[in-house]
Amino acid sequence: MQPLRVYSVVPRLPKQLEKLWDLAYNFLFVWNNDISSIFSSIDQNLWRDCQQNPVAFLNNMPQKQLEELATDVFFTQRLNEAVRIQSNYLARVSCPYKFEGAKQGQPVVAYFSLEYGIGLSLPIYSGGLGILAGDHLKASSDLNIPLVGIGLCYQHGYFRQYMTQDGWQQERYPSHDFEEMPIKPVKNAKGEDLKFTVKLKGEPLYVKIWKVATGRVTLYLLDTNISENTTQFKAITARLYGGDLEMRLWQEILLGVGGVKALAALGLEPSVIHMNEGHSAFAGLERIRVFMTDHGLSFEAAMEMVASSSIFTTHTPVPAGNDRFPAELMRPYFEPYAQTMGLAYKVFLALGREDPRDDNELFCMTVLALKLSRFNNGVSKLHGRVSRNMWQKVWPQYPVEDVPIGAITNGVHMPTWVANDISLLFDRYLGPNWREDPDGVRTWRQVDNIPDAELWRTHERLRERLVDFVRKRLRKQLLNVGARRKEIELAEEVLDPRALTIGFARRFATYKRAGLLLRDKERLIKLISDTRHPVQFIFAGKAHPQDNEGKKLIQDLIQLCRREECRMSMVFLEDYDMKMANYLVQGCDIWLNTPRRPLEACGTSGMKAMANGVLQFSTPDGWWDEAYLSDNSLGWAIGRREDYNDLEYQDFVESQTLYKVLENDIIPDFYDRGHGSLPRSWVAKIKAALCKLGPEFNANRMVEDYTEKAYLPAFNNYKTMSKEDFKGAKELAAWRVELMTQWSSLKIRNIISEAHTDIYVQEPIIVSAEVFLNGLKTEDVQVEIYAGPVSQDRAFLGRKTIIMTPEEDLGAGWHLYQGEVLPNEAGRFGYTVRILPHHELLLDPHSLGLIHWAQ
């Protein structure tokens, strides 16, 4: 028997409490303790049981308790103060950046991501990529950047992890009730759910839009689990990273193509898009199609328009981690789509291939995104270098240094991740600017004002809180698998609140080498058995459901933790999520990270730990490659940035290094106690790390970098190229077509360098060359000297480029160019000459992939 009609019954809040709904439906409560404490102070147990979800919390409050609360004058005063704080935050219109000419009330940037980690009550994230996207939205909100987010609304989210009795990972997928979450369906003018359609194989896919208020920024989530869709299509937004390859293709079509359509349905007209990872690359294609159909642009002009106003961030340092699809799988979806843009299917496929002529190459989403953006970046300086090497084939004629992929290092949203105890300490000694201006160097210098004893006692309280959390979670885990009573009782005594506590929590992907610590189990057991200088480890993390190697690592680790000599000092916590992450990054003493360099793109969990006074012990990879100082004043490194060909040997060497640093440096430093049992050397490292790394590795600095280096230039590009009926885009496209037809005929001859027989450091070398432009104008090209130190086999070891100036028209298409280069150091030095395209609307001459070298 089915009900004829279903209603959502919500509590009737007394008038004095109605503003609780305003607080509940904005995720500002995640990073503002004045707001979140309003809910937790009502019923702390219910707040915890509802996973800090204020909507579910209010829906589960007894009506009688609400009515009693309305008569509590002290509570209503606190509520009014929280409402005032939120109202003031939302009303602030100041922004450090001016997007001159932006439409009032319209976003400038649309940020696309397949996952977002904003808070516990919206579980649509799996790990670092989603948490980073959530922090990006929060920092954009704090800075008042005119940005909106686009993502998918997953019915089951990412899997929840639980363990069998023998320690093997199992997955479950709880169903989420969106009406019990701090999100709302978008309504049309008639008050009905706003919906639109996307075509999949000619069939309509119906899409509903949910709205997520994240401070001043709005995130829109797309949902296909609605009655109009078939069972197959409903499943598109069932699970994050679930299903087969075709399901992944559907999800990425929905995110990219559907995301652009959603913006149109919402009446939003962003000038710039930011594609967070290759999953959203189809957004660039759909923008091209829209420019062609709505504005009558040619494919070439539309592509210039899109590429000049798009940003792409890659997060994956290994080729296998980038989505690729077979041409035949894509054909029924994109052959008709390509026809609407006037493209042959083979030409369309070339957009996603490193070698456009290789018909057997799979279609790569990262390659598509790189070709549809003029602003490409990795997420740390080292990852930028790795990415340039990975994707050099997209620009085959360029040296690696010139591949147009830069780097903007990730950061973490400080107010979200810094513990309340530490926040109060920062408020007292740094002032409120650490929240409002977390990238201010002067603010973080005030860390020295914090008394050592006060900082250390605060950290010790957080370690005690972590130990208490671990004991409760471990007890729950053991109850769930039907453990013996004695084991459950022991769980309440594991770990020592005063011992050196080392945390390792991340995805159990094999390259992260969770097993590095386990290579010498007897040495490990000896460490944790030292009663004079005790050491303990807390592990957490998930393996991908199809990654049996990762699951085996977890199983081996759990079995070690259960050994008699380990069970009190080593714990594995299942179902790692944002809540557990908060306890770990706030309460550990050391954050351990062991990736195989250079396969960690960034590693933001270490930044969260750093912001709480937790010291790093990591491979110099990702962000730690930038942050680590060889004098160990900020933390410790495993290795010295060596490169290995033999991975087994690398693991052996670095596991030995790991133990040596623990035994000889970290443990003695932690237990080197002075008067009052204060580890002054350790506290000095905490302060030095906060002072030096705090202003650099935070999300505000990251978003400011994106704004200065990408959002503002891309927005200005859009404005310039769209003026006068897209005159700039049309001119740039026509110029590019002409350039492509003429490029192969360019020539360089008679290269002459004027220098003394003996060349001294900083002594100028005058270089001249004759260049044949074949009808192109001198302003169409950029002729450069490419110079630097060279090896014995005449390979460049480094380089700088100097633009040459046209000195004389020699006739018949030939021009004389001249420039000057200065050798900076003694030793072998060489140069060559090259030609690049140049146009005032082309920000990066490398982006077109055209280059002509002197022979």
Side-chain angles (χ1 to χ4, degrees):
M1 181 68 69
Q2 295 288 317
L4 292 174
R5 193 165 180 184
V6 176
Y7 296 91
S8 294
V9 180
V10 297
R12 186 189 297 276
L13 292 188
K15 188 173 182 180
Q16 299 93 318
L17 305 183
E18 284 178 352
K19 288 294 183 180
L20 280 170
W21 287 123
D22 293 337
L23 301 181
Y25 278 101
N26 192 309
F27 272 89
L28 182 60
F29 68 82
V30 169
W31 71 96
N32 189 301
N33 190 56
D34 290 324
I35 297 174
S36 62
S37 63
I38 287 293
F39 298 103
S40 61
S41 67
I42 298 172
D43 188 332
Q44 197 164 34
N45 291 330
L46 180 60
W47 179 243
R48 184 188 63 242
D49 293 342
C50 290
Q51 296 293 301
Q52 300 173 16
N53 178 344
V55 174
F57 176 84
L58 291 176
N59 285 340
N60 281 278
M61 283 286 294
Q63 188 69 38
K64 183 179 179 181
Q65 190 173 345
L66 288 170
E67 289 167 1
E68 289 174 356
L69 201 61
T71 64
D72 185 331
V73 176
F74 178 69
F75 177 81
T76 55
Q77 286 177 344
R78 282 191 62 208
L79 171 59
N80 291 335
E81 176 61 16
V83 170
R84 185 190 66 78
I85 289 170
Q86 178 173 281
S87 298
N88 288 346
Y89 178 91
L90 298 179
R92 218 175 305 159
V93 294
S94 62
C95 173
Y97 300 98
K98 301 299 179 189
F99 293 88
E100 299 290 350
K103 292 182 181 177
Q104 190 69 28
Q106 285 284 349
V108 169
V109 182
Y111 183 89
F112 288 72
S113 183
L114 201 59
E115 53 174 299
Y116 289 89
I118 297 173
L120 274 176
S121 50
L122 188 62
I124 56 169
Y125 62 92
S126 71
L129 178 70
I131 301 297
L132 180 279
D135 281 6
H136 195 106
L137 297 193
K138 294 170 188 174
S140 298
S141 169
D142 290 343
L143 290 165
N144 219 3
I145 303 297
L147 177 146
V148 294
I150 298 290
L152 304 187
C153 201
Y154 303 101
Q155 186 73 47
H156 305 288
Y158 199 51
F159 74 89
R160 309 301 303 202
Q161 178 195 54
Y162 69 98
M163 300 299 169
T164 60
Q165 281 193 327
D166 64 350
W168 190 256
Q169 173 182 294
Q170 296 289 328
E171 299 85 32
R172 60 185 177 86
Y173 293 87
S175 182
H176 304 306
D177 184 352
F178 298 145
E179 292 187 3
E180 287 278 304
M181 291 181 172
I183 66 177
K184 291 182 177 179
V186 177
K187 303 290 185 179
N188 61 20
K190 297 178 181 178
E192 303 163 336
D193 288 345
L194 180 63
K195 298 173 185 175
F196 66 94
T197 60
V198 177
K199 288 290 180 69
L200 291 181
K201 287 187 182 177
E203 296 295 320
L205 169 68
Y206 295 90
V207 187
K208 177 179 175 177
I209 308 174
W210 294 84
K211 178 179 180 179
V212 184
T214 310
R216 303 185 189 106
V217 164
T218 302
L219 167 63
Y220 293 101
L221 300 176
L222 312 184
D223 180 12
T224 65
N225 187 23
I226 54 179
S227 59
E228 293 90 337
N229 285 324
T230 63
T231 303
Q232 265 192 321
F233 282 0
K234 285 179 180 178
I236 292 175
T237 55
R239 296 178 180 177
L240 172 61
Y241 304 132
D244 58 14
L245 195 60
E246 187 166 32
M247 177 59 74
R248 176 65 68 88
L249 180 61
W250 286 356
Q251 288 184 334
E252 296 186 0
I253 291 172
L254 175 61
L255 176 64
V257 177
V260 173
K261 286 180 173 288
L263 290 167
L266 291 160
L268 302 177
E269 301 173 2
S271 307
V272 174
I273 66 166
H274 184 169
M275 299 173 283
N276 188 42
E277 195 54 288
H279 310 128
S280 49
F282 290 140
L285 281 180
E286 179 63 9
R287 287 187 86 206
I288 291 174
R289 191 195 65 78
V290 170
F291 279 123
M292 293 176 71
T293 56
D294 291 5
H295 301 285
L297 298 184
S298 66
F299 173 80
E300 291 76 14
M303 184 171 175
E304 290 299 334
M305 196 70 212
V306 168
S308 297
S309 58
S310 296
I311 293 92
F312 169 57
T313 300
T314 176
H315 294 258
T316 310
V318 289
N322 295 272
D323 287 340
R324 288 178 165 86
F325 300 108
E328 287 310 304
L329 174 62
M330 294 186 62
R331 184 181 295 276
Y333 301 98
F334 284 101
E335 190 168 36
Y337 190 92
Q339 289 172 357
T340 66
M341 296 190 288
L343 296 180
Y345 186 53
K346 184 175 180 178
V347 175
F348 170 84
L349 290 174
L351 292 171
R353 288 172 169 162
E354 293 175 74
D355 182 355
R357 296 161 296 183
D358 184 357
D359 293 339
N360 296 316
E361 186 181 330
L362 299 178
F363 186 95
C364 178
M365 296 295 285
T366 301
V367 172
L368 176 64
L370 287 169
K371 291 183 177 180
L372 296 186
S373 170
R374 297 283 183 262
F375 304 89
N376 301 310
N377 70 280
V379 290
S380 68
K381 291 176 183 176
L382 179 57
H383 181 231
R385 295 201 297 272
V386 170
S387 298
R388 287 190 288 276
N389 277 286
M390 270 181 63
W391 302 111
Q392 188 183 9
K393 289 182 182 176
V394 180
W395 296 272
Q397 294 181 314
Y398 283 9
V400 171
E401 295 85 354
D402 288 334
V403 169
I405 302 176
I408 294 178
T409 302
N410 284 342
V412 297
H413 187 247
M414 293 279 197
T416 295
W417 297 104
V418 172
N420 289 336
D421 307 62
I422 299 286
S423 296
L424 292 172
L425 208 58
F426 287 171
D427 286 343
R428 191 152 59 247
Y429 293 102
L430 276 63
N433 277 0
W434 76 271
R435 299 172 191 271
E436 300 294 322
D437 186 24
D439 55 336
V441 173
R442 189 174 61 83
T443 297
W444 289 99
R445 284 188 189 136
Q446 307 302 312
V447 165
D448 283 335
N449 295 335
I450 304 174
D452 288 359
E454 193 171 354
L455 178 59
W456 184 244
R457 301 296 173 239
T458 302
H459 176 71
E460 288 194 308
R461 284 198 303 276
L462 292 171
R463 191 193 312 118
E464 290 167 1
R465 190 185 71 153
L466 169 61
V467 169
D468 184 57
F469 170 78
V470 170
R471 289 170 175 174
K472 288 176 180 174
R473 284 295 291 261
L474 184 59
R475 185 178 188 278
K476 184 179 177 182
Q477 285 176 209
L478 292 170
L479 282 169
N480 289 340
V481 295
R484 292 179 294 117
R485 185 166 61 86
K486 184 179 179 182
E487 283 185 273
I488 295 169
E489 289 173 354
L490 283 174
E492 297 175 359
E493 298 177 11
V494 299
L495 305 183
D496 180 348
R498 297 159 299 178
L500 172 62
T501 303
I502 300 175
F504 181 97
R506 53 196 27 88
R507 278 190 305 121
F508 270 71
T510 49
Y511 79 87
K512 291 181 181 283
R513 298 191 298 177
L516 200 65
L517 186 68
L518 311 184
R519 288 180 70 92
D520 191 342
K521 291 188 176 69
E522 297 313 309
R523 199 169 177 182
L524 175 60
I525 291 169
K526 184 180 177 182
L527 272 181
I528 64 174
S529 302
D530 185 343
T531 55
R532 198 166 65 92
H533 293 150
V535 181
Q536 56 198 19
F537 293 86
I538 304 170
F539 301 91
K542 300 175 179 179
H544 188 278
Q546 297 171 3
D547 182 7
N548 286 330
E549 284 188 64
K551 289 183 178 182
K552 184 67 170 64
L553 269 174
I554 293 175
Q555 186 180 46
D556 291 345
L557 182 57
I558 289 175
Q559 289 174 353
L560 179 65
C561 292
R562 289 175 179 172
R563 284 173 57 167
E564 188 67 33
E565 59 267 56
C566 299
R567 64 171 59 206
M568 302 306 287
S569 301
M570 292 178 62
V571 176
F572 180 89
L573 297 180
E574 66 183 38
D575 205 23
Y576 184 45
D577 62 5
M578 287 183 76
K579 178 180 181 180
M580 189 185 297
N582 264 308
Y583 279 99
L584 287 167
V585 300
Q586 293 168 6
C588 288
D589 298 298
I590 287 287
W591 196 251
L592 179 63
N593 192 19
T594 56
R596 180 174 285 114
R597 175 185 159 94
L599 301 183
E600 181 82 284
C602 187
T604 51
S605 63
M607 299 180 192
K608 298 167 189 130
M610 173 275 297
N612 285 283
V614 176
L615 296 180
Q616 308 296 307
F617 182 30
S618 172
T619 312
D621 199 4
W623 82 284
W624 191 236
D625 182 68
E626 296 172 39
Y628 170 68
L629 297 179
S630 57
D631 64 0
N632 297 332
S633 59
L634 307 177
W636 295 269
I638 302 167
R640 299 182 179 180
R641 302 181 174 93
E642 300 93 342
D643 293 320
Y644 294 85
N645 294 320
D646 186 335
L647 300 184
E648 178 64 24
Y649 180 66
Q650 178 183 6
D651 289 353
F652 169 75
V653 170
E654 293 185 346
S655 68
Q656 295 301 303
T657 303
L658 189 158
Y659 281 108
K660 285 177 184 175
V661 175
L662 274 174
E663 293 164 346
N664 300 330
D665 298 325
I666 293 176
I667 296 172
D669 202 18
F670 182 82
Y671 286 106
D672 180 14
R673 304 298 174 95
H675 182 70
S677 191
L678 189 63
R680 292 200 179 276
S681 172
W682 192 275
V683 173
K685 285 183 171 63
I686 292 175
K687 286 187 170 184
L690 287 170
C691 183
K692 183 172 178 59
L693 307 181
E696 184 64 24
F697 297 101
N698 65 79
N700 277 44
R701 187 274 311 152
M702 173 185 72
V703 171
E704 287 179 341
D705 279 357
Y706 275 112
T707 304
E708 292 169 6
K709 298 176 182 179
Y711 294 167
L712 277 168
F715 173 68
N716 290 328
N717 277 4
Y718 184 93
K719 280 197 310 177
T720 301
M721 294 177 68
S722 61
K723 284 179 183 175
E724 300 179 43
D725 192 27
F726 297 91
K727 180 182 176 183
K730 293 172 183 175
E731 286 180 355
L732 186 58
W735 170 82
R736 182 178 179 180
V737 169
E738 182 185 7
L739 198 73
M740 298 284 280
T741 59
Q742 304 286 73
W743 196 259
S744 61
S745 302
L746 302 188
K747 296 182 179 69
I748 304 173
R749 72 181 184 190
N750 293 342
I751 301 171
I752 301 171
S753 54
E754 298 177 11
H756 300 292
T757 306
D758 295 320
I759 300 173
Y760 296 96
V761 173
Q762 291 293 315
E763 183 174 345
I765 303 172
I766 310 299
V767 179
S768 63
E770 295 177 1
V771 177
F772 178 65
L773 296 182
N774 193 31
L776 293 176
K777 298 185 287 293
T778 53
E779 55 263 37
D780 292 333
V781 299
Q782 184 169 295
V783 182
E784 295 180 342
I785 304 169
Y786 185 98
V790 295
S791 64
Q792 283 182 301
D793 59 359
R794 300 174 65 84
F796 280 102
L797 300 174
R799 68 97 169 93
K800 62 178 178 180
T801 58
I802 300 94
I803 297 174
M804 303 177 75
T805 55
E807 298 292 334
E808 184 181 350
D809 185 341
L810 302 174
W814 288 93
H815 298 262
L816 178 66
Y817 280 78
Q818 193 172 85
E820 178 181 290
V821 60
L822 296 173
N824 289 325
E825 296 176 359
R828 286 186 181 85
F829 183 83
Y831 76 86
T832 185
V833 176
R834 67 182 187 179
I835 309 172
L836 295 173
H838 176 266
H839 192 283
E840 62 180 356
L841 295 177
L842 188 70
L843 287 187
D844 185 350
H846 304 97
S847 59
L848 299 186
L850 296 175
I851 193 166
H852 188 93
W853 293 94
Q855 300 298 316

